[in-house]
Amino acid sequence: MWLNPEEVLLKNALKLWVTERSNDFFLLQRRRGHGEPTGRITGLLVGALDTVLDSNARVTPFRILLQVPGSQISWVIAIGAAIEEVNKHWDWLVHNLLHSLSVFENKEDVASFVRGKVKGLIAEEVRGRQAAQEEDPEKFREVLLKFELHFGLPSSEKLVTYYSCCCWKGRVPRQGFLYLSINHMSFYSFLLGKEVKFVIPWAEMTRLERVSTGLMTEAIRVSTRQRQREFSMFLNLDEAFGVIGQLADIALRRLLDSEGLELDRVLQQPTRITKRILEEQALREYVLALFRLPRGEKLHEVASCSIWTPHARCHTAGTLYTTDSYLCFSSREEGSCILLLPLSEVLSIEKAESTSLLPNPVIVSIRTKKAFQLIELQDRNELVESLNSRLRALQWKRSMFRSRKDGKRSVSSPTPYYTFYYDTGYSDEEEIEEQVLRNTVNCEALMTAFQQSQPGSNGNKSMEQVKERLWEEHFLEFGRGVHMFRTEKIQRLVAMGMPESLRGELWMTLSDASSELESHEGYYASLVQKSMGQSSLATEEIERDLHRSLPDHPAFQNPTGIAALRRVLTAYAHRNPKIGYCQSMNILASVLLLYAKEEEAFWLLVAVCERMLPDYFNRRVIGAQVDQSVFEELIRERLPELAEQVPDLSALSSVSLSWFLTLFLSVLPFHSGICVVDCFFFHGIKAIFQLGLAVLEANSAELSASTDDGQALMILTSFLEQVGSEESSHDPASPPAALEGGGSDTDIPAVSHTNITDLINASYEKFGDLTVRHIERLRCRHRIQVLQAHEDTIKENTLRLVSPDVSISPENLTDVYDLFKTEHFISLYWGDSSSVAAAEAAAWRYGDSGCSYVERQYRLDRPQFKSLYGLLTPWPGGSTQHADTLANRTFTLLDQDRNNLVTFREFAGWLDTLYCEELNEKIRLLYRLHIPPALTESEDDPSLMKSPLLSTNRPLYVNLPSDVQDEVKDYQEQLKQMLQDLAKEKEKDAEKPLPLMNQHEFIQFCKTLYSMFHGDPEENDLFQAIATVTSLVLQIGEAGHRPHNSGSEVTSQEEVKGVGSVQVTAEDASRGDGSSTAEMEWTVSYAQILASLLTEQPLVNFFEKPVDVSAKIAEAKEKQYHQRAGLLTLQQGSS
């Protein structure tokens, strides 16, 4: 294979390699020891070395070198595992390149030409591999070449697909091609001699929508913060719209919220994304949402088939989906018949004899001695073989787990012992009783234990008996357990409210939490044991919310219920630290504990947080906000009259946020809210959308007449508070919702008020055609808006904090922030994997505890900063090398935390000094760039700091007193102490005088001034002026050539710097006894240099000359993208 040219020394090459073929410019070599019949000692040694090395470090046995006559340096340009492969490359070089090389007079040009040609061959191979993945490889290769030619993006910018379309400019359509790549959408048109081309990064897209106007039948509108663009006349607009939405969604999730959102592993590697993978991913997301499967499930096969449905006495046509751990069937009409078969329940999958009535049948047998018959399966043999291989692997894994667990059980205690810490004020007897409760995991639902305190009436009991009988009949007809057929009949039973005796079982069945529980036996007990006694931000929030969870229910007025709730929430926070604990989880967990055993409640909470409401329960509740945005669009679609009367739907969606986060539990009476949870476990988030629309429709007249948001809130709150249920009408002692205060009988709604069953049935009748597929498509689009809204908020907060400290105008500061952020994104687009990971990790800022999420904050590393430095620095530089050195020093100076990252505040402060500050501040900055820590001992290695400062993400006291070292402080006290220390450090920094500059540092200072003046119109006058200033300063330094004066200066500096327990810096050490006498004696101060510069008017004019920062920023915007892309391409090519 062709290889990016790598330098090797020829003398080293001859020791380990044998030359097989050669000419004036190329060598074909074989590794010693490879293919040698005789056992020579050198060959044996090299062969043994290659055998010992791991597969990543082993050297391929054949290679081709490019050699320049008379040079000891060669370049490896091709490698191969077989001689035939390398011979093909050799023949190509001989026939296509060798004769052309003789025309070059300069031998170095030969090397450059060949290296460039090899890189071109590699790029062609990459294009070939990309094209081979497409339906029409030759056509795609041609389009790929045009894409690279038109836009000049790096080769790592992978093209995914393209479409022929029109881009509208006012009323004028421009016919051209829309290219969709992993990070951008690009359009190119050349019509009637006029070229139109532009590139839109996905990271700048704020909205995607389909529109219709008088001129266009239908178009795709793409909005950014600057403008809108409309595209139409697609051959397949639906497909193009879906692919654009998918790519934008994937890119924004990867670029803007990699910490919070779960992204499939395939999509985390953008270079692997193809149009086919996007189609597969869209189908996978739909299947996971429809069957509410774990997010890690991988979709394997999709096959059309029919399944025997005993309740209908016929075969029902639909689609079979197979994943890692499930067989899923859905009828053609979504939701009319659904079947879920976990592989853990399956005993065998067998082919039956095919007949005319039963073509290609497959029998799936399960552990409950039932079987399911599938027919009309295409590619039956391959499907059954694949399923059986996964089934065997799962059964083997289960048997190994059980044998290992049985071995552990023989040596361990059968009942785990738990201890939990929380503050109580019990007496001794109560404390002993409480200790017993803490150490006992509940084996029954809390409602069972506390049922006696809430006796129901005869009517309530009779209603429960009716429901139980209906469900038992249903089980006989449709099956019981997770493999039960789910049809519209269940929908009617669920709308009535599940019987309390079966509610926990049905929740476990419908959510498939039962499979998770069975496959993770003992997991919850071990999790509780690991998490007990640990203190974190999540555990503190849990303790604060424990007594706010259903406070009026007797189960949570009792230590037993509180202890169980604590265990479930703490165990989940330990299981999933990315979520930890989020408000409203306590309400959900407390309801789950009422009707399910403690371990079952834990797995139900896992199902809700990780599968049924993905991305809901994190610090930014992105998932809930996305669904609020989707809800707004559904209101416009399904309730257009209300949307017309209430133009600003954000008020309604803000009210409905708690509906989604707590599944209506916080706004409905208790029993009514439980009925909603029943529907949620059956239909997922679709049930909440439907019910929300039904609530708004029932109040549409009042909402349309409302005059403000407060009135709308009161209308909805009053309506929801009076929604009753059969249980609440019979049971006056039923507790209200979590946020509803305990009241008298007058607070209980009358029977004539809205019944929850009627409301749920109305939601199914009017909005039941809402499909999971439609919801998933809307989520994909609206996630773009929500993530960009968060970005806008972060930007506003950052600018608000930085603006008071700088004199740059708000408009220019906004543009600088955009440049700063774009620089970060460019590294994510085209940097190597290590730089991408480092850049993304740097963008997430955490608290000093290292675990509490704060917010996203963009920061630049050294190469990114140097790129922006070159674009924005106002002073011309004669020497590229010296400009690079100065950029390195500036980065070191600004990197106050010593974490090799620069924040926007630090960057804006530096830019403000250059463009807006007075002359003395500019000189002060230049002065600081030529003394430690900016000036390092080795300019070649900027990481070697002479004077490392204290980092603010470490404790500020380095040497603590002995009596304090052993004292353990609470982390909040440490945080308070750290803030106080930071304030002291700032005060000290404000008063600290600048250190003196020695002779070597002053020479570097003069070099920088000479470099800055190069190319200036007043260059000659400036050079004369700086020569005069240099001579004057040298005389001042010689005049102060007294050892005792120098010593006193150092002492005074050490007194200022060495306050308290902070250790002496390396700068002080370098000016101590170990330094040379000449450096110690010759020093000048900042004031002396400033005074000398002020004596020369050309220098004063140069530094006081105003520079148009707006023009510089505009120029940087034009250059940044392609300049940075070119640099990254060169870096990748040379690596």
Side-chain angles (χ1 to χ4, degrees), residues 549-569:
S549 310
L550 301 184
D552 294 314
H553 198 289
F556 299 100
Q557 297 170 351
N558 186 287
T560 302
I562 294 295
L565 182 59
R566 176 186 293 107
R567 285 193 293 270
V568 169
L569 293 175

Side-chain angles (χ1 to χ4, degrees), residues 8 22 92 148 154 176 191 329 379 388 462 495 571 586 850 856 878 882:
V8 295
S22 66
W92 189 91
E148 294 176 354
L191 196 63
F329 175 84
D379 301 323
N388 275 320
S462 62
N586 59 319
R856 187 175 178 86
H882 192 76

Side-chain angles (χ1 to χ4, degrees), residues 223-236:
S223 303
T224 65
R225 292 179 178 85
Q226 286 76 35
R227 62 178 303 170
Q228 293 179 344
R229 294 193 184 271
E230 292 173 347
F231 305 90
S232 67
M233 300 186 189
F234 290 90
L235 188 62
N236 188 337

Side-chain angles (χ1 to χ4, degrees), residues 271-289:
T271 54
R272 295 179 58 186
I273 295 176
T274 62
K275 185 179 175 183
R276 188 180 305 131
I277 284 178
L278 289 178
E279 293 169 353
E280 293 172 357
Q281 185 64 20
L283 182 58
R284 175 183 172 272
E285 291 287 340
Y286 166 68
V287 171
L288 294 185

Side-chain angles (χ1 to χ4, degrees), residues 622-829:
I622 293 290
Q625 293 185 55
V626 170
D627 281 351
Q628 294 313 294
S629 187
V630 171
F631 190 52
E632 284 185 37
E633 180 154 339
L634 290 175
I635 294 171
R636 294 188 187 95
E637 286 182 7
R638 301 305 185 98
L639 304 172
E641 294 180 0
L642 176 63
E644 188 177 342
Q645 295 294 325
V646 186
D648 184 13
L649 294 175
S650 59
L652 294 180
S653 63
S654 63
V655 171
S656 64
L657 179 62
S658 63
W659 303 356
F660 285 79
L661 280 173
T662 66
L663 308 180
F664 281 90
L665 286 167
S666 63
V667 293
L668 284 174
F670 178 76
H671 284 292
S672 301
I674 296 299
C675 291
V676 175
V677 177
D678 293 341
C679 296
F680 170 74
F681 277 115
F682 176 60
H683 257 142
I685 195 64
K686 172 186 169 183
I688 308 301
F689 278 117
Q690 290 175 180
L691 188 61
L693 291 171
V695 169
L696 293 182
E697 188 197 40
N699 295 273
S700 58
E702 293 85 349
L703 290 172
S704 299
S706 63
T707 55
D708 54 42
D709 297 347
Q711 189 177 354
L713 174 62
M714 290 300 298
I715 292 169
L716 292 173
T717 302
S718 302
F719 174 81
L720 291 168
E721 285 178 351
Q722 57 83 43
V723 175
S725 65
E726 296 293 337
E727 288 88 346
S728 61
S729 62
H730 288 295
D731 183 9
S734 62
L739 299 185
E740 185 183 346
S744 63
D745 292 342
T746 56
D747 295 325
I748 309 295
V751 180
S752 60
H753 288 181
T754 308
N755 185 280
I756 186 62
T757 302
D758 296 337
L759 189 61
I760 290 172
N761 284 328
S763 73
Y764 279 114
E765 289 171 9
K766 297 175 181 176
F767 309 106
D769 57 338
L770 183 64
T771 63
V772 172
R773 191 184 297 274
H774 184 51
I775 291 172
E776 286 303 304
R777 287 174 176 168
L778 290 177
R779 279 175 164 177
C780 181
R781 281 174 38 214
H782 285 271
R783 193 179 293 112
I784 297 170
Q785 301 174 32
V786 171
L787 288 175
Q788 292 289 19
H790 274 273
E791 283 296 297
D792 291 339
T793 302
I794 292 170
K795 179 178 179 179
E796 290 169 7
N797 292 339
T798 304
L799 295 177
R800 188 175 64 250
L801 290 173
V802 173
S803 294
D805 299 335
V806 298
S807 302
I808 301 175
S809 67
E811 295 79 12
N812 287 333
L813 193 62
T814 300
D815 291 338
V816 171
Y817 181 90
D818 292 337
L819 286 169
F820 194 86
K821 176 179 170 181
T822 301
E823 193 64 37
H824 169 80
F825 281 155
I826 288 173
S827 292
L828 296 184
Y829 294 158

Side-chain angles (χ1 to χ4, degrees), residues 8 48 100 116 244 291 310 313 317 458 529 548 558 582 589 592 649 671 745 748 827 861 1004 1052 1113:
V8 295
S100 305
I244 292 172
F291 298 97
R313 309 267 183 212
N458 293 330
Q529 207 162 15
R548 303 176 186 173
N558 186 287
C582 183
L592 298 176
L649 294 175
H671 284 292
D745 292 342
I748 309 295
S827 292
D861 61 13
Q1004 296 296 321
S1052 64
I1113 291 171

Side-chain angles (χ1 to χ4, degrees), residues 7-10 66-68 70-75:
E7 283 190 9
V8 295
L9 289 175
L10 196 59
L66 165 66
Q67 63 172 0
V68 177
S71 173
Q72 289 297 312
I73 297 177
S74 298
W75 291 267

